[in-house]
Amino acid sequence: MPYITTPDGTEIYYTELGEGRPVIFSHGWPLSSDAWQKELKLFADAGYRAIAHDRRGHGRSARTYRGNDMDTYVADLASLAEQLDLQDILLVGHSTGGGEVVRYAATRGAGRVSKVATAGAVPPIMLQSAANPEGTPLEVFDGIRAGVLNDRSQFYKDLAETFFGFNHQPEKRSQGLVDDFQRQGMMAGLNAAYDCVKVFSETDFTKDLEALDVPILIAHGDDDQIVPIAAAAEKAITLVSQGTLKVYEGASHGIWGDYQVALDDDILAFFAE
C-alpha cells in the first residue's frame, strides 16, 4: 500500500487512480479515503489523477497520540502534495476535510492550488457563541465525545442515521451505508477520533476563507443535520472573494444517492471551467 512519511515520522496512507491533472479528496470525520471510492473512479475516468488520503489517526494512516489538530492535518496534506510533486491541484473536501483543504489552499497552497470545492464543510466555525449564535452548542460536541469514548461502535451506527438523513427519509435507508460508516469509524483510533471532535467544532476558518485567492465551489445540503447550512455555507460564501454557493434541496450531510450524483457532476463541471 502507498504511504508518504511526514517530517515528524508519521505514515500517511493514500490511494490514487488515473493520470492527468491532480485532484485531492479530503474526507470527513470519522471516515477515511474509502468514503471517496466512487469519486476516485469517476474523476479518473474523466481524465484526472484522483488521490485520496487517510488523515493521521484515521483509516490506514498511523495512529498518533499527538498531532490531532488542524494545522498538523494541513501540514500532512502539504507533505503529500510535495512528495508526490503535485502542481495545478484541484481540492475537494467534505465536512472536516472541507476545513482542511480551505486552510491548506489559504496558507500552504500558493502556486500549487488552482480551485477548491467543499461539501457540507465546517468553515467558518461550528461552535455556537455570542458571535456565532447559529452554531451548534458545546453540549452537542460533548455528547459526541462521550459516545466515542464509551461505546463508539454503537455510537457510529446511531450517528449514521442523521449523517445520511435516514431519520428524515426512512424509505431510502441503506443498511449498507450505515454498516460502512461504522466500519470506517472503527478504523480510526479512538484517541484521534476523540480529539478531532474539538478540531472540527472549534477551529475558526474565518481568516482562511478571507485569504483564499482561488475560486471555490461551496456545496451544502439544506437538510444537513450535522453541519447546519446557516452556520456554515451561508456564512462562508460571504467571506470568500471568488465563491459560488450551491444548495442541494433535501440533501443530508453524508454524500450519497441523488445528492452524490448531482454533486459529482457539479464539481466536474466547476473544475472544467
Side-chain angles (χ1 to χ4, degrees), residues 50-70:
I51 303 164
H53 65 293
D54 292 352
R55 189 169 297 117
R56 67 167 58 207
H58 297 68
R60 286 139 293 210
S61 289
R63 295 187 176 189
T64 55
Y65 178 65
R66 293 182 174 83
N68 300 305
D69 60 82
M70 185 54 65

Side-chain angles (χ1 to χ4, degrees), residues 19-34:
E19 298 176 351
R21 191 177 180 186
V23 182
I24 302 178
F25 296 89
S26 181
H27 63 81
W29 177 93
L31 304 174
S32 70
S33 59
D34 286 356

Side-chain angles (χ1 to χ4, degrees), residues 2 4 10 35 67 80 102 115 129 132 137 140 169 176 181 224 237 247 262:
I4 60 107
T10 301
L80 177 72
V102 163
K115 289 184 178 180
S129 65
N132 187 38
V140 173
Q169 302 182 71
F181 184 87
D224 189 326
I237 193 63
V247 179

Side-chain angles (χ1 to χ4, degrees), residues 28 31 34 39 51-52 75 77 84-85 88 150 163 219 233 241 256 263:
L31 304 174
D34 286 356
E39 285 69 29
I51 303 164
L77 177 55
L84 297 184
D85 193 24
D88 196 18
N150 296 322
F163 190 93
S241 60
W256 66 285
L263 177 66

Side-chain angles (χ1 to χ4, degrees), residues 9 34 94 101 108 118 141 156 227-229 236:
D34 286 356
H94 173 235
V101 299
R108 303 285 294 265
T118 65
F141 301 116
Y156 291 143
V227 182
I229 190 171

Side-chain angles (χ1 to χ4, degrees), residues 193-223:
Y194 185 97
D195 287 353
C196 193
V197 177
K198 182 179 179 68
V199 178
F200 70 66
S201 63
E202 298 185 31
T203 302
D204 189 343
F205 297 95
T206 300
K207 292 181 179 179
D208 304 299
L209 291 166
E210 292 173 340
L212 198 63
D213 62 356
V214 297
I216 180 171
L217 173 66
I218 300 174
H220 218 105
D222 68 2
D223 193 32

Side-chain angles (χ1 to χ4, degrees), residues 122-140:
V122 297
I125 184 169
M126 284 189 70
L127 185 66
Q128 186 183 72
S129 65
N132 187 38
E134 299 85 2
T136 303
L138 179 62
E139 309 87 81
V140 173

